[in-house]
Amino acid sequence: MKLGVNIDHIAVLREARRINDPDPLQALGICARAGADQITIHLREDRRHIHDEDAAAIIRHSPLPVNLECAQASEIIDFVCEQRPLRATLVPEKREEVTTEGGLDVTGDPTALKEVIRRLHDAEVEVSLFIDPHPDTVLAAKELGADWIEFHTGRYANLWAMLYSNLTRTRHAIESLQLPRRDLKKMLDEELSTLADLAEHAKGIHLRVAAGHGLNYQNVGPIAKIRQIEELNIGQSIVARSVFVGLEAAVREMKALLQ
Ligand code: PXP
């Protein structure tokens, strides 16, 4: 299974001081050497982590294909069409969110989204839609003309964390998931089966399938076993681990878990 390394969190660290260090550009060669298959970045509307100059330089210099996550705002789409990364992943975006919470709304009026996809295709940029795992979203993504879908694995990761990590003992416990272990286990198993079934279905209708969000060294195993998922995009856990072992080792360790 392929690994896309989301290097946004390097820019998060840089922006904590509003200086030039660490530079996400420096991660490109290291990720490539460590066996990553793709570089993923998120150009947010408020540019709070990755800036236009980062994105342009990364697309120009990356030895690996670049997957640029973005919202549908027309000035961002103009930028993407100009810079032409290999792929754009359309994600929902709310200014106040800490990270991307939930998938794109693909089942409403398709007019605007279709136009964005057409513009990206005209610029020869592959299009992926970041969606919640549901039969309706998969079908809608196909009808909209996407090349890829990326399943949002946030629910899987949250269920896993409440069951197996010490999250329940921290102030980050997820209130809606304060449930008996038996229920959590059942929900986790169901989420995994849903992801596997939908990945199979998506492949069958010629959509390429990626997944990501909240995946880490502990919870990635069962997702990595779903053979119809071609690629995982993982950021926070890899950059967090790199603080202790270095980026190259952190990427290598994650890649080994995807074999
Ligand atoms: N895929 C998409 C579409 C995302 O928006 C994100 C978060 O930026 C990720 C993958 C990576 O998530 P994480 O940082 O939790 O690994």
Side-chain angles (χ1 to χ4, degrees):
M1 188 177 283
K2 289 187 188 154
L3 172 62
V5 180
N6 184 321
I7 60 173
D8 280 22
H9 286 273
I10 298 172
V12 171
L13 195 55
R14 178 187 66 188
E15 294 307 314
R17 276 293 172 94
R18 305 219 168 122
I19 51 173
N20 292 330
D21 190 41
D23 186 345
L25 200 60
Q26 263 187 281
L28 305 180
I30 300 170
C31 289
R33 232 176 14 251
D37 302 284
Q38 172 171 272
I39 297 294
T40 295
I41 50 174
H42 186 170
L43 188 66
R44 301 187 75 95
E45 279 181 71
D46 60 7
R47 312 298 202 270
R48 72 171 107 121
H49 309 138
I50 292 285
H51 302 162
D52 290 21
E53 311 84 70
D54 296 319
I58 288 166
I59 292 165
R60 192 164 340 111
H61 298 294
S62 177
L64 298 172
V66 175
N67 170 30
L68 191 148
E69 300 169 1
C70 62
Q72 298 164 59
S74 66
E75 56 95 15
I76 297 245
I77 300 301
D78 290 345
F79 177 84
V80 178
C81 290
E82 227 170 74
Q83 299 295 328
R84 302 176 62 219
L86 177 72
R87 191 190 318 161
T89 298
L90 299 175
V91 301
E93 199 172 295
K94 291 192 220 99
R95 294 236 163 180
E96 62 282 11
E97 72 191 1
V98 177
T99 181
T100 316
E101 291 155 4
L104 201 62
D105 177 10
V106 287
T107 54
D109 181 356
T111 320
L113 203 44
K114 265 197 170 152
E115 174 59 13
V116 168
I117 294 172
R118 184 197 61 74
R119 289 190 58 203
L120 291 166
H121 278 162
D122 283 353
E124 295 177 3
V125 177
E126 290 177 6
V127 179
S128 180
L129 302 179
F130 191 42
I131 56 173
D132 291 320
H134 190 279
D136 292 347
T137 58
V138 174
L139 201 61
K142 180 67 190 171
E143 281 167 1
L144 285 162
D147 308 291
W148 286 79
I149 50 172
E150 178 168 339
F151 286 130
H152 194 301
T153 48
R155 183 177 148 80
Y156 166 80
N158 286 344
L159 287 164
W160 197 98
M162 291 299 282
L163 241 182
Y164 298 121
S165 81
N166 58 9
L167 187 75
T168 38
R169 282 185 269 122
T170 76
R171 66 196 161 89
H172 300 302
I174 300 156
E175 242 172 70
S176 61
L177 294 180
Q178 300 272 25
L179 300 168
R181 288 185 64 80
R182 190 174 13 99
D183 295 356
L184 287 173
K185 178 74 175 72
K186 186 162 169 277
M187 287 157 80
L188 185 73
D189 290 345
E190 281 169 3
E191 190 69 13
L192 270 173
S193 321
T194 299
L195 285 162
D197 292 350
L198 290 176
E200 172 88 29
H201 173 58
K203 273 295 215 201
I205 54 172
H206 307 293
L207 280 168
R208 299 181 74 179
V209 186
H213 198 95
L215 298 177
N216 59 38
Y217 297 84
Q218 291 76 39
N219 69 17
V220 77
I223 299 281
K225 285 205 185 81
I226 304 176
R227 286 292 139 202
Q228 307 291 15
I229 297 180
E230 265 184 71
E231 166 197 297
L232 298 181
N233 288 300
I234 306 180
Q236 201 272 342
S237 61
I238 292 177
V239 176
R241 179 126 182 91
S242 76
V243 171
F244 301 115
V245 301
L247 184 59
E248 187 166 339
V251 172
R252 261 188 220 293
E253 286 175 22
M254 185 58 82
K255 181 70 188 178
L257 294 172
L258 306 198
Q259 300 312 315

